[in-house]
Structures are given as C-alpha cells and as structure tokens.
Amino acid sequence: MPAPLKLVFAGTPEFAARHLEQLIDSPHKIVSVMTQPDRRAGRGKQLHASPVKQLALKRELPIWQPDSLKSVEAAAVLSDLSADLMIVVAYGLILPAAILDIPRLGCVNVHASLLPRWRGAAPVQRAIEAGDIETGISLMAMEPGLDTGPVLSKHGMPIRDDHTGGRLLDELAALGASALLENLSHIESLLAAATPQQHDLATYAHKIDKAESAIDWSESADTIWRRIRAFHPTPACYTLLGEDRLKILAAHTETDTPSGETGEILSADERGLRVRCAPGVLVITEAQLPGAKAQPVTTLINGHRERLRPGVRLSPGPIL
C-alpha cells in the first residue's frame, strides 16, 4: 500500500467540507486547511466562518485564511508545509502558477461537472438549467487557466427530473468525496497519465445573478421548470403576485398551451396553480409568500383564494 500523503486542503462551502471530512478519516495527513476569510452575513452582518473552517476547528486541524495567494509571504507559508499534494474543492480564490508548483505533486481539483462541460462557478445549476441528462465529478490536475487542466478521472451520474440544484450538489459531494479518496491511493500514476481536455468543447457556467431568478412567463414551461429546479434552494425563482414576491419552490409542466395571457393563472385547485407560459403550462405545487413558510400550493390557495383565482396574471419584477 502506498505511503500516506501529506495534504493541504483548500475549500470553503459545505460541498468542500464533505470532501475534507472524508480525508480527515483517511490514512493521509492534513498539514493545513486553507479556506476563505470569515465573511459578514445575515441581518446583523456578523462574521461567519465557512463550513470548511467550522469542520477544521471541530477536528482541531491547523487553519490558514489568506486574503490572497499572490504574495511572496503566501508562497513561503505553503513551502514551509512541505506538502505532497494540495486538494482544492470550491475554494473560491485563484491559485497563481507559483502556488500550483509548490506541493511535490502539484494541486488536484475536484470539480462538479464532466469536464470540459461546465467550467466555472455554477456547474451544477447550469447543467440542470440547460437540460443536461448527465453530470458528474472530474478530478483535474490544476494549471493557471480556469478549470482547463488535464483530467485524471471522471465519475458520471444521471440528472433526474427530481434533482434540484441543492439535491444534486449533495449527491455530487458524496460521489466526489468517494472518488477523491479512491484515487489518492494511486495519484502519481493518474497524474502521469492525465488526459488533456478538448478545449473546443468547453462551456462556461457563469455565476448565478439574482436577477436571473425572476420568472419570465413568455419563456417555455420547460425552460422555467428547469430554472426553478436549478435555483432551488438559492437564489430561488420568483414571480410577483401583486406587489408580493412569490417564491416558486416546486413545479411540473403540461405540454398543452390553452388560450390566455402569459403568466395568467388558468386554474387553482388540488392539482396546483396552473400558469400559462409560451408554450406550455407550469403547474406550481410548492411556493412561499413573504413572511410565511414554504407550503404546498393547495394550502396557499386556501389562504389566498381571491388573490390566486383564475384570471389573475403573475408578472416578473425587480429583485425586492
């Protein structure tokens, strides 16, 4: 069995923390955990540690939170760790070429797509939004370009109709953590045989802008349905019911296109809230009004029957 590796782990969100947890319980030694600096969040703008930092604190691992990795000082800190390999999972900061070359075996990234499909910040959401039928995990040897490095291994999984962005990300975290641990046992041979990407096949997964979550009822029901799934739980798609922002959390589609205006409520009953699109019908089954909990639309209809009656027209609007 190969000797355990000395690892630096770089990551920030919960997706990354799932990978770190697997590594902590492996034979490999984590000599440092890199994560982004604490950020202010919430109504009180209190400082919050990342999920990776919270896990590292709990497991008593050394933590490093550099503001940037471009300085000579940062390179010196990493050099002093004498790591065999750096594992990078959704870290959120660019790693300069000088940093990538410091660990003995370089840096390996766990990326939530089947590269070169969906490079960039939001590969999971963009895959659902685009109607992809498959996604997965790629282990990649890092180079200065954005997700452009040669691929060590790919691990695919189908995208189901019940996958939301959150659910798919959770399943990919489990797949990625398992694949990472399995591949570390023969990482040197994988690095030696890494396959260059076909750059002409690459697509870019742009970071999600909250403005995208406003539903445009002139789009097809299928397009809207995929975006609702992709943007759940955050930022969550919404429409305007009068002056209130109505978050739409679950829905399905019908292929018929009855008469009526786009955004018009066609019926509101035990089947859900049926809204005309162009083409098709979106059937909303779970939604949330400001100040209320997420609830089945049948419950929402009972409390707001006049506002959600057939003939009422829902409309897109600005971020509130």
Side-chain angles (χ1 to χ4, degrees):
M1 182 177 178
L5 296 167
K6 291 175 64 179
L7 303 175
V8 172
F9 182 89
T12 300
E14 181 60 34
F15 180 80
R18 295 276 297 276
H19 292 74
L20 175 59
E21 193 162 28
Q22 282 275 64
L23 292 175
I24 292 171
D25 295 328
S26 77
H28 305 291
K29 181 181 180 181
I30 299 171
V31 295
S32 183
V33 173
M34 291 168 53
T35 190
Q36 286 201 41
D38 297 357
R39 305 295 188 194
R40 296 191 182 277
R43 292 184 179 179
K45 296 299 181 184
Q46 299 294 313
L47 281 173
H48 289 267
S50 72
V52 163
K53 180 178 179 179
Q54 292 176 42
L55 177 60
L57 287 170
K58 180 180 177 181
R59 303 297 290 267
E60 299 182 337
L61 294 172
I63 298 167
W64 182 29
Q65 295 179 273
D67 291 316
S68 169
L69 292 169
K70 297 179 180 179
S71 67
V72 174
E73 292 78 14
V77 170
L78 186 57
S79 295
D80 288 344
L81 294 172
S82 300
D84 294 310
L85 184 70
M86 182 191 294
I87 304 296
V88 182
V89 186
Y91 177 45
L93 289 179
I94 297 296
L95 273 62
I99 292 292
L100 297 175
D101 292 337
I102 292 174
R104 179 176 66 87
L105 298 173
C107 302
V108 168
N109 176 240
V110 181
H111 185 73
S113 82
L114 297 176
L115 290 168
R117 182 68 168 165
W118 300 123
R119 297 172 178 173
V124 175
Q125 295 91 334
R126 297 305 183 192
I128 295 174
E129 184 184 22
D132 290 4
I133 62 173
E134 184 183 27
T135 187
I137 290 291
S138 298
L139 269 65
M140 175 189 68
M142 295 182 70
E143 59 181 33
L146 180 63
D147 300 329
T148 58
V151 174
L152 281 62
S153 66
K154 294 184 184 182
H155 309 264
M157 63 177 291
I159 298 178
R160 306 186 306 268
D161 286 352
D162 66 340
H163 271 135
T164 61
R167 181 176 296 168
L168 183 54
L169 191 66
D170 188 59
E171 292 183 20
L172 285 170
L175 177 63
S178 175
L180 175 61
L181 200 58
E182 175 187 339
N183 284 286
L184 281 178
S185 64
H186 52 285
I187 193 65
E188 294 194 51
S189 61
L190 286 173
L191 286 166
T195 305
Q197 294 185 43
Q198 292 182 261
H199 300 301
D200 58 326
L201 299 180
T203 48
Y204 183 65
H206 291 274
K207 182 179 180 180
I208 295 170
D209 188 318
K210 286 186 178 180
E212 297 179 74
S213 61
I215 289 175
D216 179 357
W217 295 105
S218 67
E219 292 186 304
S220 72
D222 194 55
T223 297
I224 296 169
W225 169 67
R226 292 198 306 267
R227 192 170 296 125
I228 288 167
R229 291 166 49 219
F231 291 6
H232 185 289
T234 183
C237 286
Y238 77 95
T239 189
L240 290 183
L241 177 62
E243 295 183 355
D244 286 334
R245 178 173 169 167
L246 180 67
K247 287 185 179 181
I248 300 178
L249 306 178
H252 59 267
T253 63
E254 294 178 357
T255 55
D256 293 340
T257 306
S259 60
E261 300 290 332
T262 56
E264 181 180 336
I265 297 176
L266 302 172
S267 64
D269 51 33
E270 68 280 354
R271 294 176 295 174
L273 200 65
R274 297 174 63 251
V275 183
R276 188 188 185 281
C277 307
V281 172
L282 187 78
V283 184
I284 303 169
T285 55
E286 184 179 4
Q288 183 177 13
L289 279 168
K293 295 180 179 180
Q295 55 191 303
V297 160
T298 50
T299 304
L300 194 66
I301 292 169
N302 288 335
H304 301 272
R305 194 167 296 277
E306 182 61 24
R307 299 183 71 193
L308 295 172
R309 69 185 187 282
V312 168
R313 193 174 180 189
L314 304 174
S315 62
I319 297 295
L320 302 179

